[in-house]
Coordinates of all heavy atoms in Angstrom, one line a residue:
Q1 N -10.8 -5.1 -27.8 CA -11.1 -5.8 -26.5 C -10.2 -5.3 -25.4 O -9.0 -5.1 -25.5 CB -10.9 -7.3 -26.6 CG -11.4 -8.1 -25.4 CD -11.0 -9.6 -25.6 OE1 -10.7 -10.0 -26.6 NE2 -11.1 -10.3 -24.5
M2 N -10.8 -5.0 -24.3 CA -10.1 -4.4 -23.1 C -9.3 -5.4 -22.3 O -9.7 -6.6 -22.2 CB -11.1 -3.7 -22.2 CG -10.5 -2.6 -21.4 SD -11.8 -1.5 -20.7 CE -12.4 -2.5 -19.3
A3 N -8.2 -5.0 -21.8 CA -7.4 -5.8 -21.0 C -8.1 -6.0 -19.6 O -8.9 -5.1 -19.2 CB -6.0 -5.2 -20.7
M4 N -7.8 -7.1 -18.9 CA -8.5 -7.3 -17.6 C -7.3 -7.6 -16.6 O -6.6 -8.6 -16.9 CB -9.4 -8.5 -17.8 CG -10.3 -8.7 -16.6 SD -11.4 -7.2 -16.3 CE -11.3 -7.2 -14.5
V5 N -7.2 -6.8 -15.6 CA -6.2 -7.1 -14.6 C -7.0 -7.5 -13.3 O -7.9 -6.9 -12.9 CB -5.4 -5.8 -14.3 CG1 -4.4 -6.1 -13.1 CG2 -4.7 -5.3 -15.5
T6 N -6.6 -8.7 -12.8 CA -7.2 -9.2 -11.6 C -6.1 -9.2 -10.5 O -5.0 -9.8 -10.7 CB -7.7 -10.6 -11.8 OG1 -8.5 -10.6 -13.0 CG2 -8.6 -11.1 -10.7
I7 N -6.5 -8.6 -9.4 CA -5.5 -8.6 -8.3 C -6.1 -9.3 -7.1 O -7.2 -9.0 -6.7 CB -5.2 -7.1 -7.9 CG1 -4.5 -6.4 -9.1 CG2 -4.3 -7.0 -6.7 CD1 -4.5 -4.9 -9.0
N8 N -5.4 -10.2 -6.5 CA -5.8 -10.9 -5.3 C -5.5 -10.0 -4.1 O -4.4 -10.0 -3.6 CB -5.0 -12.3 -5.2 CG -5.5 -13.1 -4.0 OD1 -6.0 -12.5 -3.0 ND2 -5.3 -14.4 -4.1
E9 N -6.5 -9.2 -3.8 CA -6.3 -8.2 -2.8 C -5.9 -8.7 -1.4 O -5.2 -8.1 -0.7 CB -7.5 -7.3 -2.6 CG -7.8 -6.5 -3.9 CD -9.0 -5.6 -3.8 OE1 -9.7 -5.7 -2.8 OE2 -9.2 -4.8 -4.7
E10 N -6.4 -9.9 -1.1 CA -6.1 -10.5 0.2 C -4.6 -10.9 0.3 O -4.0 -10.8 1.4 CB -6.9 -11.8 0.4 CG -8.1 -11.6 1.3 CD -7.8 -10.7 2.6 OE1 -7.0 -11.1 3.4 OE2 -8.5 -9.7 2.6
R11 N -4.0 -11.3 -0.8 CA -2.6 -11.7 -0.7 C -1.6 -10.6 -1.1 O -0.4 -10.7 -0.9 CB -2.4 -12.9 -1.7 CG -3.0 -14.2 -1.1 CD -2.7 -15.4 -2.0 NE -1.4 -15.5 -2.4 CZ -1.0 -15.8 -3.6 NH1 -1.8 -16.0 -4.6 NH2 0.3 -15.9 -3.9
C12 N -2.1 -9.4 -1.5 CA -1.3 -8.3 -1.8 C -0.7 -7.7 -0.5 O -1.4 -7.5 0.4 CB -2.1 -7.2 -2.6 SG -1.2 -5.7 -2.9
K13 N 0.6 -7.4 -0.5 CA 1.2 -6.8 0.7 C 1.6 -5.3 0.5 O 2.3 -4.8 1.3 CB 2.3 -7.6 1.2 CG 3.5 -7.8 0.3 CD 4.7 -8.5 1.0 CE 5.9 -8.5 0.2 NZ 6.4 -9.7 -0.3
G14 N 1.1 -4.7 -0.6 CA 1.2 -3.3 -0.7 C 2.6 -2.8 -0.9 O 3.0 -1.8 -0.5
C15 N 3.5 -3.7 -1.6 CA 4.9 -3.3 -1.7 C 5.1 -2.2 -2.8 O 6.1 -1.5 -2.7 CB 5.7 -4.5 -2.1 SG 5.5 -5.1 -3.8
G16 N 4.1 -2.0 -3.7 CA 4.2 -0.9 -4.6 C 5.1 -1.1 -5.8 O 5.3 -0.2 -6.6
L17 N 5.6 -2.3 -6.0 CA 6.5 -2.6 -7.2 C 5.7 -2.4 -8.5 O 6.2 -1.9 -9.4 CB 7.1 -4.0 -7.1 CG 8.3 -4.1 -6.1 CD1 8.7 -5.6 -6.0 CD2 9.4 -3.3 -6.4
C18 N 4.5 -2.9 -8.5 CA 3.7 -2.8 -9.7 C 3.4 -1.3 -10.0 O 3.3 -0.9 -11.2 CB 2.4 -3.6 -9.5 SG 1.4 -3.1 -8.1
V19 N 3.2 -0.5 -9.0 CA 2.9 0.9 -9.2 C 4.1 1.6 -9.9 O 3.9 2.3 -10.8 CB 2.6 1.6 -7.8 CG1 2.4 3.1 -8.0 CG2 1.4 1.0 -7.1
R20 N 5.3 1.2 -9.4 CA 6.5 1.8 -10.0 C 6.8 1.4 -11.4 O 7.3 2.1 -12.2 CB 7.7 1.5 -9.1 CG 7.7 2.3 -7.8 CD 9.0 2.4 -7.2 NE 9.5 1.2 -6.6 CZ 9.1 0.7 -5.4 NH1 8.3 1.4 -4.7 NH2 9.6 -0.4 -4.9
I21 N 6.4 0.1 -11.7 CA 6.8 -0.4 -13.0 C 5.8 -0.2 -14.2 O 6.2 -0.3 -15.3 CB 7.2 -1.9 -12.9 CG1 8.1 -2.3 -14.1 CG2 5.9 -2.8 -12.9 CD1 8.8 -3.7 -13.8
C22 N 4.6 0.2 -13.8 CA 3.6 0.3 -14.8 C 3.9 1.4 -15.8 O 4.0 2.6 -15.4 CB 2.2 0.6 -14.2 SG 0.9 0.9 -15.4
P23 N 4.0 1.1 -17.1 CA 4.4 2.2 -18.1 C 3.3 3.2 -18.3 O 3.5 4.3 -18.7 CB 4.6 1.4 -19.4 CG 3.8 0.1 -19.2 CD 3.8 -0.2 -17.8
K24 N 2.0 2.8 -18.0 CA 0.9 3.7 -18.2 C 0.5 4.5 -16.9 O -0.4 5.3 -16.9 CB -0.3 3.0 -18.7 CG -0.1 2.2 -20.0 CD 0.3 3.1 -21.1 CE -0.8 3.5 -22.0 NZ -0.4 4.3 -23.1
K25 N 1.2 4.1 -15.8 CA 1.0 4.8 -14.5 C -0.5 4.7 -14.1 O -1.0 5.7 -13.6 CB 1.4 6.3 -14.6 CG 2.9 6.5 -15.0 CD 3.8 6.1 -13.9 CE 5.3 6.2 -14.3 NZ 6.1 5.0 -14.1
I26 N -1.0 3.5 -14.2 CA -2.4 3.3 -13.8 C -2.6 2.4 -12.6 O -3.7 2.0 -12.3 CB -3.3 2.8 -15.0 CG1 -2.7 1.5 -15.6 CG2 -3.5 3.9 -16.1 CD1 -3.6 0.8 -16.6
M27 N -1.5 2.0 -12.0 CA -1.6 1.2 -10.8 C -1.4 2.1 -9.6 O -0.5 3.1 -9.6 CB -0.5 0.1 -10.7 CG -0.5 -0.9 -11.9 SD -1.8 -2.1 -11.8 CE -1.4 -3.0 -10.3
Q28 N -2.1 1.9 -8.5 CA -1.9 2.6 -7.3 C -2.2 1.7 -6.1 O -2.9 0.7 -6.3 CB -2.7 3.9 -7.2 CG -4.2 3.6 -7.0 CD -5.0 4.9 -6.8 OE1 -4.6 6.0 -7.1 NE2 -6.2 4.7 -6.3
L29 N -1.7 2.1 -4.9 CA -2.1 1.4 -3.7 C -3.4 2.0 -3.2 O -3.4 3.3 -3.2 CB -1.0 1.4 -2.7 CG 0.3 0.7 -3.1 CD1 1.3 0.8 -1.9 CD2 0.1 -0.7 -3.5
S30 N -4.4 1.2 -3.0 CA -5.7 1.8 -2.6 C -5.6 2.7 -1.4 O -4.9 2.4 -0.4 CB -6.6 0.6 -2.3 OG -7.9 1.2 -1.8
E31 N -6.2 3.8 -1.4 CA -6.2 4.7 -0.3 C -7.4 4.4 0.7 O -7.4 4.9 1.8 CB -6.3 6.2 -0.8 CG -5.0 6.6 -1.4 CD -5.2 7.9 -2.2 OE1 -6.1 8.7 -2.0 OE2 -4.3 8.2 -3.0
T32 N -8.4 3.6 0.2 CA -9.6 3.4 0.9 C -9.7 1.9 1.4 O -10.2 1.7 2.5 CB -10.8 3.7 0.1 OG1 -10.7 3.0 -1.2 CG2 -10.9 5.1 -0.2
K33 N -9.1 1.0 0.7 CA -9.2 -0.4 1.1 C -8.0 -0.9 1.9 O -6.9 -0.5 1.7 CB -9.3 -1.3 -0.2 CG -10.7 -1.3 -0.8 CD -10.8 -2.3 -1.9 CE -10.6 -1.6 -3.2 NZ -10.8 -2.5 -4.4
L34 N -8.3 -1.8 2.8 CA -7.3 -2.5 3.6 C -7.7 -4.0 3.5 O -8.9 -4.3 3.6 CB -7.3 -2.1 5.1 CG -6.6 -0.8 5.5 CD1 -6.8 -0.6 7.0 CD2 -5.1 -0.8 5.1
N35 N -6.7 -4.8 3.3 CA -7.0 -6.3 3.4 C -6.9 -6.7 4.9 O -6.6 -5.9 5.8 CB -6.1 -7.1 2.4 CG -4.7 -7.0 2.7 OD1 -4.2 -6.7 3.9 ND2 -3.9 -7.3 1.7
S36 N -7.1 -8.0 5.1 CA -7.2 -8.5 6.5 C -5.9 -8.4 7.2 O -5.8 -8.5 8.4 CB -7.8 -9.9 6.5 OG -6.9 -10.8 5.8
K37 N -4.8 -8.3 6.4 CA -3.4 -8.2 7.0 C -3.1 -6.8 7.3 O -2.0 -6.5 7.8 CB -2.4 -8.9 6.1 CG -2.6 -10.3 5.9 CD -1.4 -10.9 5.2 CE -1.7 -12.3 4.6 NZ -2.3 -12.2 3.3
G38 N -3.9 -5.8 6.9 CA -3.7 -4.4 7.2 C -2.9 -3.7 6.1 O -2.5 -2.6 6.3
Y39 N -2.8 -4.3 4.9 CA -2.1 -3.7 3.8 C -3.1 -3.0 2.9 O -4.2 -3.4 2.7 CB -1.3 -4.7 3.0 CG -0.2 -5.4 3.8 CD1 -0.3 -6.8 3.9 CD2 0.8 -4.7 4.3 CE1 0.8 -7.4 4.6 CE2 1.9 -5.3 5.0 CZ 1.8 -6.7 5.2 OH 2.8 -7.3 5.9
H40 N -2.6 -1.9 2.2 CA -3.4 -1.3 1.2 C -3.1 -2.0 -0.1 O -2.0 -2.0 -0.6 CB -3.0 0.2 1.0 CG -3.4 1.0 2.1 ND1 -4.7 1.6 2.2 CD2 -2.8 1.4 3.3 CE1 -4.7 2.3 3.3 NE2 -3.6 2.2 4.0
P41 N -4.1 -2.7 -0.7 CA -3.8 -3.5 -1.9 C -3.7 -2.6 -3.2 O -4.3 -1.5 -3.2 CB -5.1 -4.4 -2.0 CG -6.2 -3.7 -1.3 CD -5.5 -2.9 -0.2
A42 N -3.0 -3.2 -4.1 CA -2.9 -2.5 -5.4 C -4.2 -2.5 -6.1 O -5.0 -3.4 -6.0 CB -1.8 -3.1 -6.3
E43 N -4.4 -1.4 -6.9 CA -5.6 -1.4 -7.8 C -5.3 -0.6 -9.1 O -4.3 0.1 -9.1 CB -6.8 -0.7 -7.0 CG -6.5 0.7 -6.6 CD -7.6 1.3 -5.8 OE1 -8.5 0.6 -5.3 OE2 -7.6 2.6 -5.6
V44 N -6.1 -0.9 -10.1 CA -5.9 -0.2 -11.4 C -6.8 1.0 -11.4 O -8.0 0.9 -11.1 CB -6.2 -1.2 -12.5 CG1 -6.1 -0.5 -13.9 CG2 -5.3 -2.4 -12.5
T45 N -6.3 2.1 -11.7 CA -7.1 3.4 -11.7 C -7.9 3.6 -13.0 O -8.9 4.3 -13.1 CB -6.2 4.6 -11.4 OG1 -5.2 4.7 -12.4 CG2 -5.6 4.5 -10.1
D46 N -7.3 3.0 -14.1 CA -8.0 3.3 -15.4 C -7.8 2.1 -16.3 O -6.8 2.0 -17.1 CB -7.3 4.5 -16.1 CG -8.0 4.9 -17.4 OD1 -8.9 4.2 -17.8 OD2 -7.5 5.8 -18.1
M47 N -8.7 1.1 -16.2 CA -8.5 -0.2 -16.9 C -8.5 0.0 -18.4 O -7.9 -0.7 -19.1 CB -9.7 -1.1 -16.5 CG -9.4 -2.6 -16.8 SD -8.1 -3.3 -15.9 CE -8.9 -3.7 -14.4
E48 N -9.2 1.1 -18.9 CA -9.2 1.3 -20.4 C -7.9 1.7 -20.9 O -7.6 1.5 -22.1 CB -10.3 2.3 -20.7 CG -11.7 1.8 -20.6 CD -12.7 2.8 -21.0 OE1 -12.5 3.7 -21.8 OE2 -13.9 2.7 -20.4
A49 N -7.0 2.2 -20.0 CA -5.7 2.7 -20.5 C -4.7 1.5 -20.4 O -3.6 1.6 -21.0 CB -5.2 3.8 -19.6
C50 N -5.1 0.4 -19.9 CA -4.2 -0.7 -19.7 C -3.8 -1.3 -21.1 O -4.7 -1.6 -21.9 CB -4.8 -1.8 -18.8 SG -3.8 -3.3 -18.6
I51 N -2.5 -1.6 -21.3 CA -2.1 -2.2 -22.6 C -1.8 -3.6 -22.5 O -1.2 -4.2 -23.4 CB -0.9 -1.4 -23.2 CG1 0.3 -1.3 -22.2 CG2 -1.3 0.0 -23.6 CD1 1.6 -0.8 -22.7
A52 N -2.1 -4.2 -21.3 CA -1.9 -5.7 -21.1 C -0.4 -6.1 -21.3 O -0.1 -7.2 -21.8 CB -2.8 -6.5 -21.9
C53 N 0.5 -5.2 -20.9 CA 1.9 -5.6 -21.0 C 2.4 -6.6 -20.0 O 3.4 -7.2 -20.1 CB 2.8 -4.3 -21.0 SG 2.8 -3.5 -19.3
A54 N 1.6 -6.7 -18.9 CA 1.9 -7.6 -17.8 C 3.1 -7.4 -17.0 O 3.6 -8.3 -16.3 CB 1.8 -9.1 -18.3
A55 N 3.7 -6.2 -17.1 CA 4.9 -5.8 -16.3 C 4.5 -5.9 -14.9 O 5.3 -6.4 -14.1 CB 5.3 -4.4 -16.7
C56 N 3.3 -5.5 -14.5 CA 2.9 -5.6 -13.1 C 2.9 -7.1 -12.6 O 3.4 -7.4 -11.5 CB 1.5 -5.0 -12.9 SG 0.2 -5.7 -13.9
A57 N 2.3 -7.9 -13.4 CA 2.3 -9.4 -13.0 C 3.7 -10.0 -12.9 O 3.9 -10.7 -12.0 CB 1.4 -10.1 -14.0
R58 N 4.6 -9.6 -13.8 CA 5.9 -10.2 -13.8 C 6.7 -9.6 -12.6 O 7.6 -10.3 -12.1 CB 6.6 -9.8 -15.1 CG 6.2 -10.7 -16.2 CD 7.2 -10.7 -17.4 NE 7.4 -9.3 -17.9 CZ 6.7 -8.7 -18.8 NH1 5.7 -9.4 -19.4 NH2 7.0 -7.5 -19.2
T59 N 6.5 -8.4 -12.2 CA 7.3 -7.8 -11.1 C 6.8 -8.2 -9.7 O 7.5 -8.0 -8.7 CB 7.4 -6.3 -11.2 OG1 8.4 -5.8 -10.4 CG2 6.1 -5.6 -10.8
C60 N 5.5 -8.7 -9.6 CA 4.9 -8.9 -8.3 C 5.6 -10.1 -7.6 O 5.6 -11.2 -8.1 CB 3.4 -9.2 -8.5 SG 2.6 -9.6 -6.9
P61 N 6.2 -9.9 -6.4 CA 6.9 -10.9 -5.7 C 6.0 -12.0 -5.2 O 6.4 -13.1 -4.9 CB 7.7 -10.2 -4.6 CG 6.9 -9.0 -4.4 CD 6.3 -8.6 -5.7
D62 N 4.7 -11.7 -5.0 CA 3.8 -12.7 -4.5 C 2.8 -13.2 -5.5 O 1.9 -14.0 -5.1 CB 3.0 -12.0 -3.3 CG 4.0 -11.6 -2.2 OD1 4.6 -12.5 -1.6 OD2 4.1 -10.4 -1.9
V63 N 3.1 -12.9 -6.7 CA 2.3 -13.4 -7.9 C 0.7 -13.3 -7.6 O 0.0 -14.2 -7.7 CB 2.6 -14.9 -8.1 CG1 2.2 -15.3 -9.5 CG2 4.1 -15.2 -8.0
V64 N 0.3 -12.1 -7.3 CA -1.1 -11.9 -7.0 C -1.8 -11.1 -8.1 O -3.0 -10.8 -8.0 CB -1.3 -11.1 -5.7 CG1 -0.7 -11.8 -4.5 CG2 -0.8 -9.7 -5.7
I65 N -1.1 -10.8 -9.2 CA -1.7 -10.1 -10.3 C -1.8 -11.0 -11.5 O -0.8 -11.6 -11.9 CB -0.9 -8.8 -10.7 CG1 -0.7 -7.9 -9.4 CG2 -1.5 -8.0 -11.8 CD1 0.2 -6.8 -9.6
Q66 N -3.0 -11.0 -12.1 CA -3.2 -11.7 -13.4 C -3.6 -10.7 -14.5 O -4.4 -9.8 -14.2 CB -4.3 -12.7 -13.3 CG -3.9 -14.0 -12.6 CD -5.1 -15.0 -12.5 OE1 -6.1 -14.6 -12.0 NE2 -4.9 -16.1 -13.1
V67 N -3.0 -10.8 -15.7 CA -3.4 -9.9 -16.8 C -3.9 -10.8 -17.9 O -3.2 -11.7 -18.3 CB -2.2 -9.1 -17.2 CG1 -2.6 -8.2 -18.4 CG2 -1.6 -8.2 -16.1
E68 N -5.1 -10.5 -18.4 CA -5.7 -11.2 -19.5 C -6.0 -10.2 -20.6 O -6.4 -9.0 -20.3 CB -6.9 -11.9 -19.1 CG -6.7 -13.0 -18.1 CD -8.0 -13.3 -17.3 OE1 -8.9 -13.8 -18.0 OE2 -8.1 -13.1 -16.1
K69 N -5.9 -10.6 -21.8 CA -6.3 -9.8 -23.0 C -7.7 -10.2 -23.4 O -8.0 -11.3 -23.4 CB -5.3 -9.9 -24.1 CG -4.4 -8.8 -24.3 CD -3.5 -9.0 -25.5 CE -3.2 -7.7 -26.2 NZ -2.1 -7.0 -25.7

């Protein structure tokens, strides 16, 4: 069963902590999307590679990332 990462893009402020901490290097700040506050929200580039370690969710200062197995 694949992991599922849900990111509240509206509340993401593009700090990039999740990008830096991801052991699989599959998080990035969107190059195409902007939220209403003008930030590039985080996104997962390869959901199949996600191991559901939830490091991204734990490091997020605004608690906008949910990880489910």
Side-chain angles (χ1 to χ4, degrees):
Q1 188 186 343
M2 202 164 79
M4 190 63 219
V5 177
T6 310
I7 298 164
N8 181 336
E9 295 184 349
E10 258 321 294
R11 287 182 48 225
C12 175
K13 63 174 188 247
C15 71
L17 287 174
C18 57
V19 176
R20 286 201 288 281
I21 204 163
C22 177
K24 304 300 267 182
K25 304 287 179 231
I26 54 169
M27 299 286 293
Q28 71 174 18
L29 296 181
S30 176
E31 289 167 17
T32 51
K33 281 188 264 189
L34 278 179
N35 63 21
S36 64
K37 296 188 198 83
Y39 297 119
H40 290 275
E43 62 186 14
V44 178
T45 58
D46 182 3
M47 197 66 80
E48 286 182 30
C50 177
I51 56 170
C53 69
C56 55
R58 283 197 304 271
T59 195
C60 179
D62 298 299
V63 199
V64 304
I65 304 173
Q66 281 182 305
V67 180
E68 297 159 65
K69 256 186 147 76

